[in-house]
Amino acid sequence: AHAPLEAIGILKDEHNLTPEDVKKITVGTSVHSREHVGIIRHPRDITDAHYSVAYGAAVRFYRGGNGFFEYVDEDLSDPRFRALEDKVEVVIDPQSEEERLRLNNRGALVTIETNDGRRLEKRVQYSKGHPMNPMTEEDMRQKFLNTVTPRLGAQRTTELLERVENVESLDNAGELVWLTVKRD
């Protein structure tokens, strides 16, 4: 679901779209991707949610991103999420299918039709993190902070990140372990 959700996020941000602006979202992808992330429209649990591009689109619009902690149980039955999920159609995009076979990627072409008549398109050939579109050091830092901070708090997460970034200067690797142990 990475390429479709990245494309949705780019269109949402570039055009300042709100959920109310969306008439329809068409996700064109490969046969493989459609089978793995395009089938589940209304997930039953968070595990299903991570494999639903329709639900992921709603998370992107209502939560602002698709990070691990942006997928929450209470949203599974939220009528706003359900309504946006119903506007997502996942179809086979011949170019995405051909590139999957030739380039071993998971690209997508997303088209968002708006209620005011616009038709916005974005193709993502290689999603962020793919070897052909690697994450920057800042991307990695931000992902670490977003993932770890909810569990360890801002101060310990920052300390842990500083130590990881300077691991070669540590006298004792146990410092890393100690920072990851949740203490109250």
Side-chain angles (χ1 to χ4, degrees), residues 1 8 15 26 36 54 65 88 106 122 140 146 151 171 181:
I8 289 167
H15 299 279
T26 304
H36 288 89
V88 177
R106 301 285 187 267
K122 179 67 180 174
M140 296 280 279
N146 292 342
R151 293 288 186 223
D171 292 328
V181 177

Side-chain angles (χ1 to χ4, degrees), residues 11 21 69 80-82 87 92 95 124 126-127 129 168 174:
L11 290 172
D21 294 325
F69 292 106
R80 299 170 311 148
F81 277 65
R82 294 271 173 142
K87 295 178 182 182
I92 305 304
Q95 182 175 337
V124 171
Y126 298 105
S127 59
E168 66 280 348

Side-chain angles (χ1 to χ4, degrees), residues 10-11 18 33 38 48 51 59 69 77 108 114-115 124 129 142 149 151 168 172 179 183:
I10 291 168
L11 290 172
T18 66
S33 292
D48 276 359
Y51 291 94
V59 171
F69 292 106
S77 59
T114 63
N115 288 316
V124 171
Q142 203 55 54
T149 300
R151 293 288 186 223
E168 66 280 348
N172 180 353
L179 285 169
R183 304 178 299 269

Side-chain angles (χ1 to χ4, degrees), residues 137-174:
E137 296 244 351
E138 185 53 35
D139 293 334
M140 296 280 279
R141 277 188 206 96
Q142 203 55 54
K143 186 167 186 165
F144 182 88
L145 292 169
N146 292 342
T147 304
V148 178
T149 300
R151 293 288 186 223
L152 297 180
Q155 181 178 344
R156 286 208 5 244
T157 300
T158 301
E159 289 176 41
L160 182 58
L161 178 60
E162 288 170 0
R163 295 230 175 58
V164 167
E165 290 180 328
N166 297 294
V167 70
E168 66 280 348
S169 66
L170 285 179
D171 292 328
N172 180 353

Side-chain angles (χ1 to χ4, degrees), residues 19-138:
E20 295 75 29
D21 294 325
V22 176
K23 180 178 182 180
K24 182 178 182 181
I25 299 174
T26 304
V27 175
T29 190
S30 68
V31 171
H32 178 82
S33 292
R34 184 179 185 285
E35 290 174 359
H36 288 89
V37 299
I39 302 300
I40 300 170
R41 180 169 305 278
H42 300 297
R44 297 166 300 174
D45 56 35
I46 291 299
T47 300
D48 276 359
H50 285 284
Y51 291 94
S52 171
V53 74
Y55 182 79
V59 171
R60 179 62 67 118
F61 270 93
Y62 285 109
R63 295 277 179 194
N66 293 100
F68 183 80
F69 292 106
E70 290 162 316
Y71 287 72
V72 294
D73 286 321
E74 61 263 21
D75 294 339
L76 293 171
S77 59
D78 186 323
R80 299 170 311 148
F81 277 65
R82 294 271 173 142
L84 192 55
E85 290 167 53
D86 286 336
K87 295 178 182 182
V88 177
E89 179 182 14
V90 182
V91 301
I92 305 304
D93 171 52
Q95 182 175 337
S96 295
E97 177 63 12
E98 184 275 327
E99 288 177 352
R100 179 186 72 84
L101 297 171
R102 183 172 48 87
L103 303 173
N104 194 30
N105 72 348
R106 301 285 187 267
L109 172 65
V110 170
T111 305
I112 298 180
E113 297 173 43
T114 63
N115 288 316
D116 64 8
R118 291 178 290 163
R119 184 178 170 87
L120 311 168
E121 285 192 353
K122 179 67 180 174
R123 180 175 293 281
V124 171
Q125 184 178 36
Y126 298 105
S127 59
K128 189 61 124 170
H130 186 282
M132 296 299 289
N133 186 12
M135 295 176 75
T136 65
E137 296 244 351
E138 185 53 35

